[in-house]
Amino acid sequence: MPRMRRTQPTKAWGAVAAVTGAMLVVAAAPGRAPGADSSEGAFAGPPREAALTLLVGRMLDEGREAGGARCDIRMFRSGLCSGWQEQRVRATARGVGSVLREPALGDAAQAAHAARTEVLATDAGGPLEITLAEPGRLTDVTVRDGHGRHLSGELAPHSERWTNTEPLRAGQTYTVQVGAQDEAGAPVGVTMAFRTAPPADGGRLTVEFGPRPGTYGAGEIVTAALSRPVPADDLPARARLEQALEVTSEPHVEGAWHWVDDSTLHFRPRTYWPAHTVVRVRSGLDGVQVGDHDYGGPSDALEFTIADRIEAVTDSATHRMTVRRNGRVIRTIPVTTGKAGFRTRSGIKVVLRKEPKVRMRGDSVGIKRGTKEFYDLPVLYATRVTWSGEYIHAAPWSVEAQGEENVSHGCTGMSTEDAAWFFRTVREGDIVEVVNSGGAKMAPFDNGIGDWNMDWRSWLAGSALATMDAGPQSSPTTPSRLHPTT
């Protein structure tokens, strides 16, 4: 840190920090003054006290109703904005590099700070903004909660304003370290802390992730089942929730959430998962306000892995299934698919589960008992690809037709030997595609995993973040940053 000379003129400068929805509990932390080295001599004098003033405030409900919107940050001064209260915090040259011993407020040192400050009890719904009131520049802003998690934020292009890019959490203590320079380049800093009010009483919005931990194929998708619905007309709440549901992978992939209904989201990459990817899913909802009244609660994280990439493509016109592992053909199998009136669904499906032996009956798919098409058969090596009853299975009764014509009631039939091999080779999440069948297109969500039949543009249209065009800091295809951008 450069020493401050007495020849420099003293100049006060300030910044504005607006926390709508927080209570300030700690002011500046002390630090060792620069220039205190005895080598400066008796005539060096005290260091220059460049000062930074932070106004920490909130808007009251009645102020929001009366004014219709929050006061512009540039006008944020005591008495000018109805409904606002403020707390001033001073940043000085001595505050550069100072750090509170702990962000939690339970120990005596923090309690002493808290005892000297005003409490602004509000919710956590508002932004955290730090803005320079006079010429200068912010050089660093770091915000972290009591668990050590960093709050993402960005500096404006000219470094005059910092704004958080992910929501504050209710019932959390945040430590804020601010570094800045005045117009002459003199560094100042401050460390402060504030605590958001706890969420309102009532149940918390939680999420249950799927699939179960384990190893899956490259077509597996991530599901998120919410404990309570978030309506489609509350786009900001949906966007905030999406931003809090974090999916990371090694290697990194481009991916996004898609709202299936008010209580269900699916996440998939733009293309299939690479072989041997490790996928980790966690919820950052705990304490986050979602909508006007709901707050997130704790949810269990999920980790699963992707095995070799197995793709089985059946061409109903040639009556052949081609199976590839990691792009290399490992087997070509003669098959029969659905005949006229029972055409096999076209498109991309995903293995749902494997059933060594299944009793298949025509009445389960709407074929009346006693009619010509009715069947009641024990079937071996049945690999299920839809919940309505489409399988890939052994069909020894149709071996002569396999590779020649389509004679099934919608399933893909093959010899017992080939079916046993296929059963042993594939796993849940592996990709099964049918082309040239003449059948209806596989639906995206209501009969298994048909998500891959939706093109990427349409998939993104189901993301609230993409719909709101939230920008790079909260892009649905970019993981939320943990640290501020400076």
Side-chain angles (χ1 to χ4, degrees), residues 76-356:
F76 182 46
R77 299 292 187 274
S78 178
L80 293 182
C81 299
S82 63
W84 284 95
Q85 294 185 14
E86 67 179 37
Q87 176 74 41
R88 292 178 176 267
V89 178
R90 184 177 177 85
T92 68
R94 287 177 298 171
V96 176
S98 297
V99 180
L100 290 176
R101 187 161 60 86
E102 291 289 343
L105 300 178
D107 57 41
Q110 306 310 313
H113 279 294
R116 297 194 301 268
T117 61
E118 179 184 358
V119 173
L120 305 178
T122 64
D123 60 52
L128 171 63
E129 295 179 347
I130 299 174
T131 302
L132 298 179
E134 297 184 15
R137 62 188 295 265
L138 294 169
T139 57
D140 180 74
V141 179
T142 301
V143 183
R144 60 192 176 95
D145 67 15
H147 300 284
R149 298 173 296 202
H150 286 77
L151 183 75
S152 297
E154 286 195 337
L155 281 177
H158 300 293
S159 300
E160 79 284 1
R161 178 192 298 257
W162 181 94
T163 306
N164 60 311
T165 57
E166 65 176 316
L168 299 166
R169 302 168 188 264
Q172 284 287 334
T173 297
Y174 288 89
T175 301
V176 183
Q177 292 174 255
V178 180
Q181 293 178 348
D182 69 1
E183 191 174 16
V188 295
V190 66
T191 299
M192 59 183 178
F194 65 88
R195 183 171 55 217
T196 55
D201 293 337
R204 302 284 194 96
L205 192 156
T206 59
V207 58
E208 183 177 356
F209 294 117
R212 305 174 307 277
T215 302
Y216 296 87
E220 188 58 59
I221 53 97
V222 179
T223 62
L226 306 180
S227 61
R228 61 179 68 182
V230 179
D233 60 2
D234 194 349
L235 204 59
R238 284 192 167 196
R240 177 167 287 190
L241 187 143
E242 277 184 56
Q243 195 174 31
L245 302 184
E246 301 174 7
V247 181
T248 59
S249 66
E250 299 173 9
H252 172 73
V253 300
E254 180 183 8
W257 290 103
H258 183 102
W259 286 82
V260 177
D261 56 42
D262 288 354
S263 301
T264 309
L265 295 88
H266 285 187
F267 181 98
R268 51 157 270 209
R270 185 169 188 166
T271 58
Y272 302 133
W273 297 102
H276 313 303
T277 298
V278 178
V279 182
R280 297 181 178 90
V281 189
R282 64 175 295 273
S283 169
L285 280 175
D286 194 12
V288 171
Q289 185 177 9
V290 181
D292 292 335
H293 306 291
D294 283 343
Y295 283 84
S299 302
D300 292 335
L302 167 68
E303 179 175 322
F304 65 92
T305 58
I306 302 299
D308 286 340
R309 179 165 159 174
I310 301 293
E311 299 173 76
V313 180
T314 296
D315 188 336
S316 293
T318 63
H319 317 291
R320 294 287 187 278
M321 172 189 282
T322 303
V323 183
R324 292 179 173 84
R325 174 183 284 120
N326 298 328
R328 184 176 63 88
V329 176
I330 56 175
R331 197 171 182 115
T332 300
I333 302 172
V335 298
T336 183
T337 60
K339 61 186 177 181
F342 301 93
R343 299 296 186 191
T344 304
R345 292 173 186 81
S346 64
I348 303 169
K349 305 152 197 175
V350 168
V351 173
L352 300 176
R353 65 188 183 201
K354 301 192 295 182
E355 302 169 37

Side-chain angles (χ1 to χ4, degrees), residues 258 268 270 454-463 466:
H258 183 102
R268 51 157 270 209
R270 185 169 188 166
M454 188 177 290
D455 65 83
W456 188 240
R457 182 183 295 273
S458 299
W459 185 267
L460 288 181
S463 163

Side-chain angles (χ1 to χ4, degrees), residues 357-378:
K357 185 176 181 179
V358 179
R359 182 183 177 186
M360 294 188 178
R361 300 186 311 183
D363 52 7
S364 67
V365 292
I367 301 174
K368 292 183 179 180
R369 185 180 297 271
T371 63
K372 178 182 177 182
E373 299 295 344
F374 182 80
Y375 55 87
D376 188 345
L377 297 167

